[in-house]
Amino acid sequence: MLRSTQPDTNDTAPLARQPLSRAPLVPEPLLHRHNCLIPGDTRFRAAARLRQSLWREEQCLPGGLHRPGGCSKIAPSPLGSLLQPTDAARGLNFLSPAVHAFVRRSLVLREEGAMVHYERLHRNLLSSEPLTYNLFVPLAVNLDLATAAFRQLLPTFVDRVTGIRFETSPGRHDPRYLADGTAFDAALTVITPDGEPATVFIEVKYSEGCTGPAATHRPRYDEASREAALHRDPDAPALRSVLLEQFWRLHLLAQLAVRQGFTPRAHLLVLAPQLNRRVGIATRLYAAELTDPSGSSSSTVGFTALTLETFVTALAQAGGGAEAAYLHHRYLDLRPVLDLVLGEVATPDDEPPPAAPLLALPPPSSATPSDALPSDVPITPTISPGSTTDPDKPSSTPRARRFAARKTTSRPPRSRQVKAPSKARRRSAPSSAAGRLIEEAR
């Protein structure tokens, strides 16, 4: 008898081995049961919040309490992605007691004006602040490990790592820089393959969705953007959008550090999880605005965006296997979330909510090359910057958001006479490339 060559549809093992291409959509009742339902969370942030809650439960730690918006008039409620103060004081948000000890010393010796949110750093399991320390303290105390990892990550820029600083800036309120307090999460002093001293400035993202709030715009930003000559159009509205403005400011600050002689050369590195598709799209759009993303000239600060998965793999291959395993399990492995969702008994009320859309992106520079990004889907405005919600300051309920979505999509727009665009407006017409990338993140 001939055996069927068809795969066994009941065998889910092959599916279990496949990497996730998106963060799981988590039903609101499941988030609620784990005290992780926060209005305004993006798809990835909701899944990551639940992952941190599950990790806390693995450590047999009770969840903490929070007051939405920090309002003392509101009774505190449980939040699965928070530690209790006593556990936070023990340093349980960090990879090891050694990392916690390093953090304590770092805080005591921090730079003047450094913005450190003590509660967020020690209690918030979802925050990128403790993640930054968990990523880089093992490298700061073992520069050979740091060198081996960054030779893989930035081989054309790093030959040797000589030091690591945290929450650092070449000049927070110095008028020669941006004079606004902008700082980097970390900075590596390095020696390039050419034997020249240089700096790798680093921005770490975890669950953030590049949704703001944006920094108050200052005329100094416009001046610095024109002076830096990093972008195809230094006055492009896209650079000033909520989606891109932080990368723009950080890149300007790094370029000013070179111009002011703070460091002979520099490179800006952004790290974020692969499944945080919003950050991935934002960095791709930002890179498309640059004239020289690689920083081929010694006077130009290059820009690189890598996934946290790439960093963790390099760390493991460099000899930091234990640290890499911790980082992958705690921050990057969302399969326990998927398993929890699939283990639910599906009901009509358990349908996951739609993922919140990205913020509308202002028109990119007209000089952006047509082949840099796809080009057949127009940008459609979605949410204004003022309507975004902070996870700790919810301003709407899920029902209200669903009602608003129905209201905005069920009624056709009123017809009105539209004037023909001027030449200037035609030159800055919205790029359909950005539209397609934004659609990919939804």
Side-chain angles (χ1 to χ4, degrees), residues 382-406:
T382 52
I383 305 175
S384 64
S387 66
T388 59
T389 57
D390 186 284
D392 294 325
K393 299 179 182 179
S395 60
S396 63
T397 63
R399 178 176 296 186
R401 295 200 311 277
R402 288 195 292 269
F403 175 77
R406 290 197 300 270

Side-chain angles (χ1 to χ4, degrees), residues 32 35-38 63-69 71 74-82 123 391-392 394:
H32 180 71
N35 296 318
C36 289
L37 179 58
I38 298 294
L65 299 175
H66 82 125
R67 297 179 187 272
C71 181
I74 300 178
S77 57
L79 184 60
S81 56
L82 276 186
R123 293 189 62 205
D392 294 325

Side-chain angles (χ1 to χ4, degrees), residues 40 209-217 237-238 240-245 278 357-362 381-390 393 395:
C210 296
T211 56
T216 302
H217 187 77
R240 293 145 176 86
S241 69
V242 174
L243 195 63
L244 305 187
E245 65 88 23
R278 293 180 174 225
L358 285 175
L359 297 178
L361 181 67
T382 52
I383 305 175
S384 64
S387 66
T388 59
T389 57
D390 186 284
K393 299 179 182 179
S395 60

Side-chain angles (χ1 to χ4, degrees), residues 98-119:
V99 172
H100 180 218
F102 185 101
V103 170
R104 293 185 63 193
R105 186 176 187 275
S106 176
L107 294 181
V108 172
L109 298 176
R110 66 183 180 269
E111 296 175 3
E112 288 77 4
M115 296 294 294
V116 176
H117 304 277
Y118 185 90
E119 286 285 307

Side-chain angles (χ1 to χ4, degrees), residues 1 12 105 120 151 181 203 226 236 242 260 285 307 345 363-364 376 388 392 402 417 439:
M1 178 185 293
T12 60
R105 186 176 187 275
R120 185 185 305 168
R151 278 179 178 172
E203 173 67 14
R226 298 179 191 120
V242 174
Q260 295 299 329
L285 290 173
T307 65
V345 177
D376 62 352
T388 59
D392 294 325
R402 288 195 292 269
Q417 186 176 3
E439 287 296 325

Side-chain angles (χ1 to χ4, degrees), residues 81-402:
S81 56
L82 276 186
L83 292 176
Q84 291 195 348
T86 52
D87 294 325
R90 294 165 54 199
L92 299 185
N93 203 9
F94 301 107
L95 186 152
S96 67
V99 172
H100 180 218
F102 185 101
V103 170
R104 293 185 63 193
R105 186 176 187 275
S106 176
L107 294 181
V108 172
L109 298 176
R110 66 183 180 269
E111 296 175 3
E112 288 77 4
M115 296 294 294
V116 176
H117 304 277
Y118 185 90
E119 286 285 307
R120 185 185 305 168
L121 177 62
H122 290 81
R123 293 189 62 205
N124 192 337
L125 299 171
L126 194 65
S127 171
S128 60
E129 291 187 34
L131 170 59
T132 299
Y133 284 98
N134 286 333
L135 289 172
F136 291 105
V137 170
L139 304 185
V141 299
N142 185 347
L143 295 180
D144 290 338
L145 178 63
T147 294
F150 271 87
R151 278 179 178 172
Q152 300 177 61
L153 297 170
L154 298 174
T156 63
F157 194 81
V158 176
D159 180 67
R160 181 160 51 94
V161 178
T162 59
I164 301 179
R165 304 187 305 277
F166 294 84
E167 185 57 29
T168 184
S169 173
R172 280 185 172 78
H173 300 288
D174 190 331
R176 295 176 302 167
Y177 294 92
L178 299 181
D180 66 346
T182 296
F184 302 99
D185 291 331
L188 278 64
T189 53
V190 306
I191 303 298
T192 69
D194 296 329
E196 187 176 16
T199 304
V200 178
F201 294 112
I202 298 173
E203 173 67 14
V204 177
K205 299 291 186 188
Y206 181 47
S207 64
E208 300 92 332
C210 296
T211 56
T216 302
H217 187 77
R218 301 167 183 250
R220 176 58 182 150
Y221 298 163
D222 299 327
E223 297 171 1
S225 189
R226 298 179 191 120
E227 293 169 6
L230 292 169
H231 307 93
R232 300 177 184 278
D233 178 5
D235 297 313
L239 298 174
R240 293 145 176 86
S241 69
V242 174
L243 195 63
L244 305 187
E245 65 88 23
Q246 186 183 19
F247 303 128
W248 177 53
R249 285 187 291 110
L250 290 171
H251 206 175
L252 293 180
L253 184 60
Q255 185 66 43
L256 288 169
V258 173
R259 292 205 169 192
Q260 295 299 329
F262 179 83
T263 181
R265 295 188 63 186
H267 197 91
L268 177 60
L269 173 65
V270 176
L271 296 172
Q274 181 177 346
L275 296 183
N276 190 335
R277 303 173 76 204
R278 293 180 174 225
V279 175
I281 286 173
T283 54
R284 288 164 63 188
L285 290 173
Y286 180 74
E289 296 287 337
L290 300 175
T291 57
D292 184 12
S294 64
S296 57
S297 168
S298 60
S299 61
T300 301
V301 175
F303 174 83
T304 299
L306 297 175
T307 65
L308 276 176
E309 286 83 352
T310 300
F311 177 91
V312 169
T313 298
L315 178 61
Q317 293 175 349
E323 294 83 356
Y326 173 96
L327 294 167
H328 172 78
H329 176 71
R330 176 175 169 182
Y331 293 105
L332 302 176
D333 184 10
L334 294 185
R335 195 161 297 280
V337 174
L338 176 62
D339 293 342
L340 195 62
V341 174
L342 295 179
E344 291 284 290
V345 177
T347 67
D349 293 335
D350 284 339
E351 181 183 354
L358 285 175
L359 297 178
L361 181 67
S365 165
S366 59
T368 301
S370 59
D371 59 348
L373 299 168
S375 58
D376 62 352
V377 182
I379 297 178
T380 54
T382 52
I383 305 175
S384 64
S387 66
T388 59
T389 57
D390 186 284
D392 294 325
K393 299 179 182 179
S395 60
S396 63
T397 63
R399 178 176 296 186
R401 295 200 311 277
R402 288 195 292 269

Side-chain angles (χ1 to χ4, degrees), residues 53-74:
S53 182
L54 296 176
W55 178 85
R56 174 188 51 76
E57 292 173 7
E58 290 174 7
Q59 314 307 309
C60 300
L61 300 173
L65 299 175
H66 82 125
R67 297 179 187 272
C71 181
S72 59
K73 296 181 179 179
I74 300 178

